[in-house]
């Protein structure tokens, strides 16, 4: 093969890859209302996705275009903070926090996404406030939606279940009793920075707790933290999802994510 033919083939492969990755983004951009007549039959059709099924006592099925992060079998998609294999317990279709094993993070990074997480507070319930069934779901490893047993358990509002920790209390407390599985469905849009590192657009989050809207497209003030409000600092466009080890044996199952077209 000549160098010229090789270059042409490589260019074609690169173009195909870019086209595939950009398909959903292009669909979103070309389908803006002002670009089309009302009821235009030539308008691009949405991609077909086999939807998820609901979880009850058993976990449901993820949608067909989701990246499955935990299917109840192993922690191959996760790692410990030092990059080693995750040390949490896996049994009977769930994973469980192991005290002092540390947080775990996905091996893959994500930016704009739809994230589904199911979790269960330990039984019997012990402790009060923040010392009862505490964990957390961290988008990009730094933007936390709090996990806590908030069923008949009072704590500071911006630290209860489904709070964006230290920033926004949930609109309502939709917590189930400890021992029952609960669901988070999170829509997350990462922050945007310009080439100089200046914040252009804050991160935004929408969340449903057990099917109830608890965070409505709120703008985050920056990374979440305990008794602090750190400012934004430029970071990568895609970073791992993390689950917190707060010392309580919280269980997780049926975790999946859908990458969204970048705005």
């Amino acid at each position: 093969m000549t160098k010229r033919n090789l270059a042409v083939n490589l260019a074609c492969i690169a173009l195909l890859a870019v086209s595939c990755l950009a398909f959903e983004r292009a669909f979103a951009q070309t389908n803006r209302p002002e670009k089309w007549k009302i009821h235009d039959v030539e308008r691009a059709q949405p991609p077909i996705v086999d939807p998820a099924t609901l979880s009850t006592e058993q976990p449901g099925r993820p949608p067909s275009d989701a990246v499955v992060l935990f299917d109840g079998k192993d922690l191959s998609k996760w790692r410990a903070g030092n990059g080693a294999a995750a040390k949490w317990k896996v049994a009977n279709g769930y994973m469980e926090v192991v005290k002092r094993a540390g947080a775990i993070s996905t091996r893959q990074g994500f930016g704009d996404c739809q994230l589904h997480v199911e979790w269960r507070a330990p039984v019997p319930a012990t402790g009060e406030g923040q010392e009862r069934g505490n964990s957390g779901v961290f988008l990009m490893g730094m933007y936390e939606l709090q996990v806590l047993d908030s069923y008949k358990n009072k704590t500071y509002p911006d630290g209860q279940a489904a709070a964006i920790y230290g920033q926004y209390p949930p609109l309502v407390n939709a917590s189930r009793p400890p021992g029952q599985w609960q669901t988070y469905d999170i829509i997350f849009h990462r922050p945007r920075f310009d080439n100089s590192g200046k914040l252009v657009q804050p991160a935004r989050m929408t969340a449903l707790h057990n099917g109830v809207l608890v965070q409505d497209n709120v703008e985050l003030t920056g990374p979440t933290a305990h008794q602090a409000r750190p400012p934004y600092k430029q970071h990568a466009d895609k970073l791992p999802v993390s689950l917190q080890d707060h010392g309580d044996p919280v269980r997780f199952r049926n975790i999946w994510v859908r990458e969204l077209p970048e705005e």
Side-chain angles (χ1 to χ4, degrees):
M1 181 181 292
T2 67
K3 290 183 178 180
R4 182 176 183 278
N5 288 339
L6 177 60
V8 170
N9 287 342
L10 289 175
C12 291
I13 292 171
L15 180 60
L16 178 61
V18 170
S19 297
C20 292
L21 290 171
F23 176 77
E24 287 190 356
R25 185 186 305 179
F27 174 80
Q29 292 299 321
T30 60
N31 230 12
R32 293 179 62 84
E34 62 269 20
K35 293 181 179 292
W36 297 92
K37 296 178 182 178
I38 297 175
H39 311 318
D40 192 332
V41 296
E42 298 300 321
R43 195 169 182 175
Q45 294 290 326
I48 296 173
V49 171
D50 187 16
T53 59
L54 294 178
S55 295
T56 53
E57 289 303 311
Q58 298 298 319
R61 185 190 68 240
S64 59
D65 63 344
V67 176
V68 177
L69 299 175
F70 180 67
D71 62 1
K73 298 176 182 177
D74 59 58
L75 294 174
S76 59
K77 301 287 183 69
W78 300 80
R79 58 176 175 77
N82 60 3
K87 300 297 184 182
W88 288 14
K89 174 183 176 181
V90 176
N92 301 318
Y94 63 82
M95 61 166 139
E96 181 177 293
V97 177
V98 173
K99 188 175 183 179
R100 290 189 291 274
I104 62 172
S105 301
T106 57
R107 295 184 179 275
Q108 182 176 348
F110 303 95
D112 291 359
C113 66
Q114 173 188 350
L115 177 65
H116 176 87
V117 178
E118 298 179 17
W119 59 276
R120 198 185 88 165
V123 286
T126 59
E128 296 181 352
Q130 293 292 299
E131 304 305 317
R132 187 165 149 183
N134 193 325
S135 183
V137 178
F138 287 76
L139 284 299
M140 308 193 86
M142 64 184 79
Y143 306 104
E144 181 187 10
L145 191 70
Q146 172 79 319
V147 170
L148 192 76
D149 180 2
S150 289
Y151 184 78
K152 299 181 180 180
N153 177 38
K154 188 174 182 180
T155 187
Y156 45 86
D158 58 2
Q160 72 174 72
I164 297 176
Y165 190 76
Q167 296 186 23
Y168 295 97
L171 296 172
V172 296
N173 183 346
S175 296
R176 290 175 176 153
Q180 293 187 18
W181 284 100
Q182 312 201 46
T183 61
Y184 280 168
D185 288 284
I186 305 164
I187 310 299
F188 178 77
H189 294 276
R190 65 172 178 84
R192 267 62 174 173
F193 302 91
D194 64 19
N195 292 334
S196 69
K198 180 181 178 182
L199 179 69
V200 175
Q201 182 175 303
R204 290 180 287 122
M205 191 184 298
T206 296
L208 287 85
H209 183 193
N210 296 325
V212 179
L213 182 67
V214 288
Q215 300 290 347
D216 190 5
N217 195 35
V218 295
E219 289 191 350
L220 279 66
T221 62
T224 56
H226 179 61
Q227 294 186 342
R229 202 175 297 283
Y232 282 102
K233 292 183 179 179
Q234 187 177 25
H235 55 68
D237 292 346
K238 293 188 177 183
L239 290 169
V241 172
S242 299
L243 300 176
Q244 184 184 41
D245 169 15
H246 201 276
D248 298 328
V250 178
R251 295 178 179 180
F252 294 90
R253 72 176 190 186
N254 194 26
I255 305 174
W256 51 261
V257 63
R258 297 179 64 247
E259 295 191 84
L260 301 178
E262 292 280 325
E263 296 176 338

